[in-house]
Amino acid sequence: MSSRKRHNAIQMLQVNDVQIDGVQNVRDAVFQPFSSHYKVTDLDRPGMEGLQFRQLCMVESGSLIRPFTLEEVKQAVWDCDSFKSPGPDGISFGFLKKFWPELKDDFMRFVLEFHRNGRLIKGVNATFISLIPKVDSPQRVNDFTPLSLLGCMYKVLAKILANRLQVVIGSVVSDSQSAFVMGKQILDGILVAYEAVDEARRQHKDTLLFKVDFKKAYDSIDLNYLDKVMHKMNFLTLWRKWMSACIGTATASVLVNGCPTNEFPMERGLRQGDPLSPFLFLLVAEGFNVLKVSLIEAGLFRGYYVGNGASAVCLSHLQFADDTLIIGEKCWFNVRSIRALLMNFEHVSGLKVNFNKSILTRVNVSYSWLHEAALVLKFRVGAFLFVYLGMPIGCDSRRLDFWKPILNSIISRLSSWKSKFLSFDGRLILLKYVMSSLPVYFLSLFKAPAGIISSIESLFKFFWGSGENFRKIAWVDWDSVCLLREEGGLGG
């Protein structure tokens, strides 16, 4: 969306179904829902007594609070993009890198002072919330994604702490979690889900799949719950004090057409854009895994068993941050247990389940039974073919229908680019760095049929300026164009 369109979009919004016009009126109207959204609404939450979390060893806990070094600070600065939007201080990381010899002593004093007393001076933890449109014509506050713009000093500190936490987080999160854990990737969960559904279909096993959607997951986390989880995971008191200072003292202002609203405290939730947020969210999500495991051990949920006999392995759920897929046998017992599990986890953590967007689907289960179960859960009934982490599950990858989303995505890009207005250089850049990357996600897990490869290659020939309804002469053989630069082609 262009800056002019974005400016006009925020000129007129609907807040609580009331039309608001004018820049100043919109700014005042936006402040109220955001300030109330980040207030703590439920102070009396159930405890987690009796739940068994994985714990850090003393060496891992101690490594988190060791003294900061100049190399760590410099690495944190260089890990940040030089041209990202600056926060309230207006300083970009390109500026820091340019003048690092003059600024490094100041940064070292700042991080060492934080290490000693665990406090942040006023203003360091201030945040601008930039509203990023999620739809073409946003009309409501919910049509925007709130992205936090942090000050450079806080972001460097958070990056240092995040780099340390990333090293040890694999010791405290479950094997079912595949997000932001070293040695794991997003394709792990997709492959397991695909193989489980394929096996259930071939062996005629009655299976239920619960695709859970959490409503504004980052924004609704209870910070006291996060502190209790870290305590159970054997994080040291000093580290928990640091986390409290980083996420518990944050303040924010919403940017409306470049002008900030009044400042308000963020009493709950994690900020999108904070380097610590993805890893802290994994600690929050681990509570779901612990509750789920306790249900299975108590005999209150029956998972899906991969394989047969003594070698069968129980698969109950997969997680990628807040994207959660629960797998189990077809029975009313499981339906009621899932409903109770989701409600309890919501009360404990503050994460709210969006039941209207959550999906219940099945393998070898009748639609009438599935519809009754969905009414009990208040889920939507999903088709057998569903999408998990952007990949279709339940469809044979050898069929052409499986690859239609990729072809449609490429065709959509081509129609918007209007290649007849692009130079050869422009088409080449779009071909190599945009269009060529679109099929990579699918091709990293599945082998495409020869017909699909041919269809994609034919679309890539827009390099010559051809459109949907006309073709231009190709002056060079396509195989020659795809050769490396060293061999006389353009593909290298």
Side-chain angles (χ1 to χ4, degrees):
M1 178 178 287
S2 66
S3 58
R4 181 181 295 274
K5 289 182 178 179
R6 185 173 170 185
H7 176 85
N8 292 336
I10 309 181
Q11 288 276 355
M12 182 174 63
L13 289 176
Q14 290 183 8
V15 179
N16 297 329
D17 297 327
V18 178
Q19 194 77 13
I20 307 294
D21 298 328
V23 177
Q24 183 61 43
N25 292 336
V26 169
R27 190 182 301 124
D28 295 339
V30 166
F31 169 79
Q32 182 58 38
F34 272 94
S35 60
S36 59
H37 177 68
Y38 289 103
K39 282 187 177 296
V40 175
T41 56
D42 188 359
L43 298 176
D44 186 16
R45 295 190 180 276
M48 296 177 292
E49 292 75 12
L51 297 179
Q52 299 299 319
F53 286 80
R54 294 187 179 185
Q55 293 186 335
L56 298 175
C57 66
M58 291 308 298
V59 174
E60 292 172 326
S61 297
S63 68
L64 293 174
I65 61 170
R66 67 181 186 273
F68 301 124
T69 64
L70 180 59
E71 290 74 17
E72 273 189 299
V73 178
K74 183 177 180 180
Q75 183 63 43
V77 173
W78 260 256
D79 283 346
C80 298
D81 193 291
S82 300
F83 304 103
K84 283 193 174 181
S85 299
D89 54 20
I91 299 175
S92 69
F93 279 88
F95 175 85
L96 298 184
K97 295 173 185 178
K98 178 72 173 178
F99 297 99
W100 180 245
E102 292 80 14
L103 297 173
K104 62 181 180 180
D105 292 337
D106 293 328
F107 271 91
M108 281 304 300
R109 280 194 294 270
F110 165 68
V111 297
L112 293 177
E113 181 66 22
F114 176 81
H115 189 282
R116 282 193 295 269
N117 57 36
R119 296 194 192 94
L120 293 172
I121 60 176
K122 186 177 181 180
V124 169
N125 212 2
T127 309
F128 280 160
I129 296 179
S130 179
L131 301 179
I132 309 299
K134 295 189 290 187
V135 296
D136 291 336
S137 300
Q139 298 295 323
R140 302 174 184 273
V141 172
N142 289 336
D143 293 336
F144 295 89
T145 297
L147 182 65
S148 297
L149 304 179
L150 309 171
C152 67
M153 296 183 70
Y154 172 80
K155 196 163 188 178
V156 170
L157 175 64
K159 190 67 177 178
I160 296 170
L161 299 175
N163 289 340
R164 292 186 175 187
L165 183 56
Q166 183 180 16
V167 176
V168 303
I169 199 166
S171 300
V172 291
V173 299
S174 66
D175 296 333
S176 63
Q177 179 66 256
S178 56
F180 312 117
V181 179
M182 297 178 67
K184 295 185 179 181
Q185 55 180 329
I186 188 173
L187 296 175
D188 295 343
I190 297 173
L191 181 60
V192 172
Y194 185 88
E195 292 296 331
V197 170
D198 185 62
E199 185 198 64
R201 181 179 55 186
R202 287 186 286 104
Q203 299 189 8
H204 305 287
K205 296 180 179 179
D206 297 345
T207 307
L208 294 176
L209 297 106
F210 309 81
K211 187 181 176 185
V212 182
D213 181 84
F214 289 101
K215 183 178 181 181
K216 295 187 180 296
Y218 271 35
D219 299 347
S220 56
I221 293 171
D222 183 77
L223 301 184
N224 290 328
Y225 161 77
L226 175 59
D227 184 69
K228 292 176 183 177
V229 168
M230 288 192 292
H231 177 66
K232 282 185 168 289
M233 291 180 173
N234 201 31
F235 285 89
L236 297 181
T237 303
L238 181 58
W239 174 266
R240 290 162 50 207
K241 181 181 179 181
W242 289 352
M243 294 301 100
S244 178
C246 288
I247 62 177
T249 63
T251 59
S253 302
V254 184
L255 290 179
V256 180
N257 297 324
C259 298
T261 64
N262 294 332
E263 200 172 59
F264 56 87
M266 301 183 70
E267 299 177 1
R268 66 171 184 173
L270 302 173
R271 292 171 287 186
Q272 298 188 46
D274 188 333
L276 279 167
S277 294
F279 304 104
L280 293 179
F281 187 84
L282 294 190
L283 304 183
V284 172
E286 183 61 16
F288 179 88
N289 172 73
V290 171
L291 287 171
K292 190 71 169 58
V293 171
S294 65
L295 277 181
I296 296 174
E297 291 176 348
L300 300 177
F301 183 85
R302 300 169 189 166
Y304 173 80
Y305 283 87
V306 181
N308 296 304
S311 62
V313 178
C314 181
L315 175 64
S316 62
H317 63 286
L318 298 168
Q319 292 177 283
F320 186 84
D322 64 322
D323 288 297
T324 302
L325 182 67
I326 304 173
I327 306 174
E329 295 180 4
K330 172 211 168 185
C331 60
W332 285 109
F333 197 67
N334 279 355
V335 172
R336 297 188 183 94
S337 294
I338 290 299
R339 177 72 180 179
L341 169 66
L342 295 176
M343 296 298 293
N344 286 335
F345 183 62
E346 180 177 322
H347 291 320
V348 169
S349 67
L351 281 174
K352 298 184 181 298
V353 179
N354 196 338
F355 288 98
N356 293 328
K357 290 186 178 180
S358 298
I359 295 173
L360 175 63
T361 186
R362 86 290 190 194
V363 182
N364 302 318
V365 177
S366 66
Y367 179 81
S368 58
W369 194 97
L370 188 75
H371 183 70
E372 292 182 17
L375 289 177
V376 173
L377 286 168
K378 297 184 179 179
F379 277 27
R380 290 193 295 115
V381 176
F384 171 69
L385 175 63
F386 66 99
V387 176
Y388 178 61
L389 299 178
M391 196 78 78
I393 305 295
C395 181
D396 189 347
S397 62
R398 294 170 295 182
R399 298 177 62 88
L400 297 182
D401 290 345
F402 182 88
W403 299 91
K404 274 188 176 180
I406 291 296
L407 295 176
N408 293 337
S409 177
I410 294 175
I411 293 171
S412 176
R413 291 293 184 99
L414 289 178
S415 63
S416 64
W417 286 338
K418 299 179 180 179
S419 60
K420 61 183 178 180
F421 297 118
L422 297 173
S423 65
F424 274 106
D425 290 339
R427 293 180 212 143
L428 179 62
I429 294 298
L430 292 174
L431 175 66
K432 292 177 62 176
Y433 299 108
V434 181
M435 283 184 63
S436 296
S437 64
L438 294 178
V440 169
Y441 188 50
F442 275 60
L443 292 174
S444 59
L445 197 58
F446 301 105
K447 182 179 179 180
I452 294 297
I453 298 297
S454 299
S455 299
I456 293 176
E457 284 190 349
S458 66
L459 292 173
F460 279 15
K461 292 179 183 179
F462 91 104
F463 175 72
W464 300 113
S466 301
E468 292 184 23
N469 302 320
F470 63 93
R471 295 179 62 86
K472 288 191 175 183
I473 297 175
W475 296 103
V476 182
D477 180 75
W478 185 248
D479 291 336
S480 300
V481 173
C482 294
L483 292 174
L484 298 175
R485 284 182 177 271
E486 294 80 2
E487 300 174 3
L490 298 175

